[in-house]
Amino acid sequence: MEHTNDKRRFTRHTHQQVAQTWSTEFGENVELAASVPPALSALGMGQVATYLEAHPEYLVTALKHSDWTIRAAAVRTEGKRGTSFEPLLNALHDENASVRAAAARALGIRAKDAPVEPLVEALQDREWRVRTAAVTALGRLKKRTPIEPLLPVLHDENASVRAAAVWALGTLGERAPMDSLVIALQDKAWAVREAAAMALHEQGERAPVGHLLAARWDEDSSVRDAVDNTLGQRFEEQEGMKILPSETGWLSLPWLRLALSVFSVYILIPLTSIITNNTYIGRFALISEVAATVVVCIAIALINILYQRKPDARLSPQKYASRKKGIPSWHSVVLAGISVFTLLQIATSLLQINFAYDPVMTTDVVHFILIGRLVALGLMAATVIVINMVFFTKR
Amino acid sequence: MDLDRQEYAYLTADQVDGYYEQLVAKYWQQLHSFIQRRTSNQQDAEDIVQEAFVHAYYALERYPLQQIRTLQARPWLYKITWNVYRNYMSRTKPPLALSLDDHDSDLLLELDDEYEERPDAIFERVERRRELESLVNELPEQYREVINLYYFDELSQQEIADLLNRPLGTIKTHVYRGLRMLRKALQMNEGRSIR
């Protein structure tokens, strides 16, 4: 039965009572606790624990003591001594949550041969402290850690329990359920998201870079730091490697990206003919043609930026990947070659002076047409440069 | 063995306990005052800080060594405590404004250190602080919290930004505007008392 102690306030008054009881029962002048903050006694720490470590002969009595702070300290000490599992397993059913949590933690300390089943049962405890301790202890079992019971814990109502579950699953290496870790990056609690970023660090190459990069924009600074640490570590350790495109990225195949870029450059040639082939019918018409060219150029540039976008586009390549400067890939060279060729073709047709439009064409009009064409040429050149930059920097 | 894995090194259980004990010794009182200023109930404050510390302990257990080495304990603990406080308040009642009465013990503690100061000067300073706190309480909520954290809890602007998950620029603006409002309110108060 859950005792009301679970909700008891851990006041200094309680500590003084403990001190009094302790002194009376053991006849020792133990200066306990008036100055020990309750945050220590709740975890079985403080002077009671120190005393028991020095006097293990009192452990058996202390494990049965009526005061839970003494029982918690005794369980903690017993766990460290590592003599028997029995007191710890009994303590897992103690009426007080702090004692049960101390028992779960003690089993985690003795992870080598600690029994799994009682810890799995403790995952159903009503107190978050006990569930967190049980999850953490299960995570310490490493090869013996059971995955199935930990998966539902990822949806626990308490953030500490969820974070501990993410950590425990993260320690499992290849057995770790990657999808669950990635989903945890979206958890509403920063502690869980931070734990997920750290857990993905332990996955090495298996961790999806794209999701980590997206998490670099997390609203919480601790999460961002953990993600940066994971990404930084990974790419520092792989000198010379560039960031791999995410499987979910747009146009992840290089040849498909090249095809889009080449098509984008080539489509500018028919666009040129709009300006060069039409008969001059007035200034407004030419201005409209140049404006249309502006719209088409922007559209082409945007299509390239958006469709060649990958999650890794947010990562500064200089920071995380060592790039071989000056040695572009053959794809980039092909695109650059095609771009130069196309631009030359466009320039030739735009700047060719064959104005046989109208016999009454004046010098002013010719100059106006030339300026319009130069503007169009500038726009197309800028578009080609953008296409090349997008292709080069986002490879 | 999985060669790609980059396993973390962790603190031993004893090391976690030792580090945790240091944190409790160093920050318990600070965090207690931090929460006590926001709640009207001494017991609530104690519960909140205790729960925050237990959360911190479990986090330390799973934090890798390198994380603990670079951990800025103070803002980290404030953040955890702040989250526990907000959860606690959302479960129980709406956040309370700065409580004046519950500070008496804090103020008296401060007085202990200043026994050489003249009593009238001390009284004036305490009165001044009370007046300031009551004016801070009248600020709009977004400025009130930031001013409280900045001046009474002595957190840096960056720490406040991290705590509240707001951009640093917003915090700077709120501190600036909050101070301007406070100054105006102080001047009006002084004007009233002179009359």
Side-chain angles (χ1 to χ4, degrees):
Chain A
M1 188 189 77
E2 191 70 18
H3 196 272
T4 47
N5 270 353
D6 278 0
K7 298 288 176 193
R8 182 186 285 178
R9 318 291 196 187
F10 307 111
T11 58
R12 291 187 196 290
H13 177 66
T14 313
H15 284 277
Q16 280 159 350
Q17 274 185 329
V18 173
Q20 185 113 34
T21 319
W22 185 259
S23 303
T24 313
E25 286 207 14
F26 298 104
E28 295 278 343
N29 183 22
V30 188
E31 280 301 320
L32 279 178
S35 61
V36 177
L40 291 182
S41 58
L43 289 161
M45 293 185 208
Q47 295 189 30
V48 179
T50 312
Y51 182 85
L52 284 171
E53 276 169 30
H55 300 89
E57 64 273 18
Y58 290 131
L59 266 176
V60 176
T61 320
L63 281 166
K64 295 171 188 161
H65 201 278
S66 58
D67 194 291
W68 67 264
T69 59
I70 293 177
R71 291 204 301 282
V75 167
R76 177 178 174 272
T77 312
E78 181 66 40
K80 283 185 174 178
R81 277 165 50 83
T83 47
S84 162
F85 281 118
E86 200 189 333
L88 305 182
L89 296 176
N90 290 338
L92 269 181
H93 301 286
D94 194 279
E95 63 184 16
N96 183 276
S98 293
V99 181
R100 297 199 298 277
R105 278 202 310 281
L107 287 169
I109 292 171
R110 294 164 62 182
K112 251 186 185 173
D113 45 2
V116 180
E117 203 47 47
L119 286 171
V120 172
E121 279 172 27
L123 295 179
Q124 306 301 323
D125 198 284
R126 75 175 77 169
E127 276 288 324
W128 70 268
R129 285 174 288 166
V130 184
R131 296 199 299 277
T132 310
V135 172
T136 310
L138 284 170
R140 291 190 198 286
L141 303 180
K142 301 273 181 183
K143 285 180 181 169
R144 294 193 299 132
T145 301
I147 297 179
E148 287 302 317
L150 286 176
L151 293 176
V153 183
L154 290 169
H155 306 287
D156 195 282
E157 59 178 18
N158 187 283
S160 263
V161 184
R162 295 200 300 277
V166 168
W167 170 81
L169 290 170
T171 60
L172 300 179
E174 284 187 344
R175 289 201 298 144
M178 191 59 68
D179 290 350
S180 302
L181 298 183
V182 169
I183 290 169
L185 275 176
Q186 308 290 327
D187 196 280
K188 60 185 176 188
W190 66 269
V192 183
R193 299 198 300 276
E194 183 193 47
M198 290 180 189
L200 287 172
H201 176 284
E202 298 216 42
Q203 301 311 308
E205 280 295 298
R206 292 180 70 217
V209 178
H211 288 98
L212 282 167
L213 287 162
R216 288 185 78 215
W217 301 95
D218 195 282
E219 60 174 17
D220 187 273
S221 59
S222 303
V223 180
R224 291 197 299 272
D225 288 347
V227 169
D228 276 352
N229 185 35
T230 299
L231 282 168
Q233 186 101 348
R234 177 161 167 183
F235 290 104
E236 263 171 30
E237 286 174 2
Q238 297 176 24
E239 197 64 31
M241 284 192 73
K242 64 186 171 65
I243 299 162
L244 299 170
S246 159
E247 289 161 9
T248 56
W250 289 95
L251 295 179
S252 54
L253 293 172
W255 65 266
L256 213 55
R257 296 183 59 221
L258 181 64
L260 175 70
S261 302
V262 170
F263 177 74
S264 303
V265 170
Y266 256 123
I267 207 164
L268 294 174
I269 296 176
L271 186 66
T272 317
S273 63
I274 296 172
I275 297 172
T276 51
N277 291 349
N278 285 359
T279 308
Y280 179 74
I281 54 168
R283 292 183 180 213
F284 184 74
L286 184 62
I287 289 170
S288 303
E289 285 164 9
V290 173
T293 311
V294 172
V295 171
V296 174
C297 284
I298 290 173
I300 291 170
L302 280 178
I303 286 170
N304 273 271
I305 291 168
L306 292 174
Y307 279 81
Q308 296 208 38
R309 180 187 60 175
K310 297 177 295 182
D312 63 352
R314 288 174 182 164
L315 188 66
S316 154
Q318 284 78 14
K319 192 171 175 189
Y320 290 109
S322 134
R323 297 177 66 116
K324 294 176 181 173
K325 284 180 187 168
I327 314 172
S329 73
W330 69 267
H331 285 111
S332 304
V333 175
V334 167
L335 181 64
I338 291 170
S339 300
V340 170
F341 177 74
T342 309
L343 269 180
L344 279 173
Q345 232 181 327
I346 292 169
T348 313
S349 59
L350 276 176
L351 302 179
Q352 212 172 26
I353 303 176
N354 57 347
F355 303 131
Y357 301 130
D358 201 314
V360 292
M361 189 175 281
T362 62
T363 317
D364 278 355
V365 171
V366 171
H367 286 165
F368 183 73
I369 292 171
L370 270 174
I371 290 167
R373 288 183 176 194
L374 278 172
V375 170
L377 179 63
L379 280 167
M380 289 178 190
T383 310
V384 169
I385 289 168
V386 168
I387 293 167
N388 273 267
M389 277 176 67
V390 166
F391 186 81
F392 184 75
T393 57
K394 298 192 177 182
R395 67 194 161 108
Chain B
M1 194 184 151
D2 184 0
L3 292 175
D4 289 336
R5 286 191 62 199
Q6 294 155 33
E7 284 188 52
Y8 282 123
Y10 293 95
L11 293 182
T12 63
D14 279 335
Q15 286 170 329
V16 171
D17 289 359
Y19 186 56
Y20 176 77
E21 279 175 345
Q22 283 177 31
L23 291 182
V24 173
K26 197 167 176 187
Y27 296 110
W28 171 269
Q29 200 52 51
Q30 266 186 51
L31 291 170
H32 190 266
S33 306
F34 170 63
I35 295 301
Q36 175 118 35
R37 270 197 287 276
R38 288 163 176 80
T39 57
S40 54
N41 189 319
Q42 157 96 12
Q43 206 61 71
D44 283 351
E46 202 141 299
D47 284 351
I48 289 167
V49 179
Q50 165 157 332
E51 187 172 331
F53 265 108
V54 176
H55 276 288
Y57 179 86
Y58 285 126
L60 288 176
E61 272 195 313
R62 62 171 188 271
Y63 271 6
L65 193 57
Q66 66 179 79
Q67 173 87 1
I68 290 178
R69 277 195 191 127
T70 56
L71 186 68
Q72 290 185 301
R74 186 169 175 267
W76 178 69
L77 284 171
Y78 268 89
K79 191 154 120 179
I80 294 173
T81 311
W82 179 254
N83 281 348
V84 175
Y85 161 73
R86 284 181 55 183
N87 286 341
Y88 195 90
M89 284 305 170
S90 65
R91 281 200 307 266
T92 53
K93 50 200 167 228
L96 294 167
L98 208 70
S99 159
L100 297 179
D101 297 337
D102 293 331
H103 276 317
D104 286 349
S105 58
D106 280 1
L107 292 175
L108 288 173
L109 279 176
E110 284 175 22
L111 294 181
D112 285 345
D113 298 335
E114 296 152 358
Y115 60 93
E116 285 177 3
E117 215 174 324
R118 283 175 50 196
D120 55 339
I122 294 171
F123 180 75
E124 198 177 314
R125 219 154 52 75
V126 169
E127 279 302 300
R128 187 83 178 161
R129 181 171 167 158
R130 277 166 168 264
E131 183 193 359
L132 199 63
E133 285 177 349
S134 86
L135 288 174
V136 169
N137 277 340
E138 285 166 19
L139 289 176
E141 197 183 338
Q142 77 238 51
Y143 303 120
R144 183 175 63 217
E145 201 49 79
V146 171
I147 293 286
N148 271 332
L149 291 166
Y150 190 63
Y151 283 101
F152 297 114
D153 298 310
E154 294 175 2
L155 294 184
S156 71
Q157 293 186 348
Q158 183 62 57
E159 285 169 354
I160 298 170
D162 290 343
L163 192 74
L164 303 177
N165 278 335
R166 286 186 208 155
L168 181 61
T170 309
I171 300 300
K172 282 181 177 170
T173 311
H174 283 184
V175 168
Y176 174 74
R177 286 186 190 159
L179 272 184
R180 209 172 49 185
M181 288 179 191
L182 210 54
R183 219 169 276 143
K184 224 181 238 176
L186 265 174
Q187 280 168 358
M188 279 173 68
N189 251 19
E190 277 167 13
R192 246 182 261 142
S193 61
I194 288 169
R195 262 183 262 141

